[in-house]
Amino acid sequence: MAAAGAIERIAHGVYRMAGAPPREHETIYATWLALGGATSPRTGSGVAPLVAAGTTAAIVHDIGDFLLDGLDYIVPARKGTRLPDVRLRIRHLVPEDVFPVDGLPTLTVERTIADLVDLGTDMSLVAGSVRDAVQAAKVLSVDRLIGHLDATGRRAGREVAADLFELAGVHPEGWHRD
């Protein structure tokens, strides 16, 4: 069918009907499908087996100024792939860590920001994500963000959040610097 032009190959084993418009973030979705994200069973805690994370999640949430230079997903257990530029990280997630964005399991905005910090992403880039998220009212819980930042173990979550909010020049609802 691909040779006849009826379908277009997007990724290994993933095709789109010819003439159908490409979807936003098609590469991210196609890779998720190629890795079995839609067909693998959920974890024991009910979390999707493949969750967009790091800069991939930030791009899906449309926060920050990141280029798609690789794809980052969280999996519950060791999983291999031959797909180029795909990083699979093993992490334990709970349902509150994941939010579907147009059907793609993605870390919540708060968890994404903490994940970027944990990955050592430049703080000015993370602050840009924070600014975009606050301005779009996507930061739903400052307390949850602080809790996720605490879990990174780098510094107290409240201090990191304060630095990010100051760098971003925003003060989300519910933020009180003590």
Side-chain angles (χ1 to χ4, degrees), residues 128-139 168-170 172:
S129 297
V130 169
R131 182 193 60 247
D132 292 350
V134 169
Q135 290 175 345
K138 292 183 178 183
V139 173
V170 295

Side-chain angles (χ1 to χ4, degrees), residues 41-152:
R42 293 189 171 270
T43 65
S45 63
V47 175
L50 194 68
V51 177
T55 58
T56 304
I59 289 168
V60 170
H61 282 298
D62 196 26
I63 58 172
D65 191 24
F66 296 101
L67 298 174
L68 192 61
D69 61 349
L71 299 168
D72 192 10
Y73 298 93
I74 290 178
V75 294
R78 185 172 167 85
K79 178 180 178 80
T81 182
R82 291 185 181 182
L83 295 174
D85 300 322
V86 173
R87 178 170 64 171
L88 302 175
R89 295 184 285 134
I90 301 170
R91 299 283 188 275
H92 173 73
L93 297 174
V94 295
E96 295 79 28
D97 291 336
V98 181
F99 181 80
V101 179
D102 293 331
L104 179 72
T106 308
L107 292 179
T108 63
V109 169
E110 295 87 353
R111 184 72 161 85
T112 297
I113 292 166
D115 195 40
L116 292 169
V117 169
D118 192 36
L119 290 169
T121 306
D122 182 281
M123 289 299 274
S124 64
L125 290 173
V126 179
S129 297
V130 169
R131 182 193 60 247
D132 292 350
V134 169
Q135 290 175 345
K138 292 183 178 183
V139 173
L140 303 177
S141 171
V142 171
D143 289 337
R144 188 172 291 145
L145 173 61
I146 291 169
H148 291 311
L149 290 169
D150 275 335
T152 65

Side-chain angles (χ1 to χ4, degrees), residues 21-51:
R23 79 182 290 166
E24 190 174 16
H25 311 304
E26 186 171 70
T27 302
I28 296 169
Y29 284 93
T31 302
W32 178 75
L33 289 169
L35 290 168
T39 57
S40 299
R42 293 189 171 270
T43 65
S45 63
V47 175
L50 194 68
V51 177

Side-chain angles (χ1 to χ4, degrees), residues 2 7-17 26 29-39 83:
I7 58 176
E8 297 175 39
R9 184 174 189 240
I10 306 303
H12 180 71
V14 180
Y15 298 85
R16 176 177 11 97
M17 295 297 296
E26 186 171 70
Y29 284 93
T31 302
W32 178 75
L33 289 169
L35 290 168
T39 57
L83 295 174

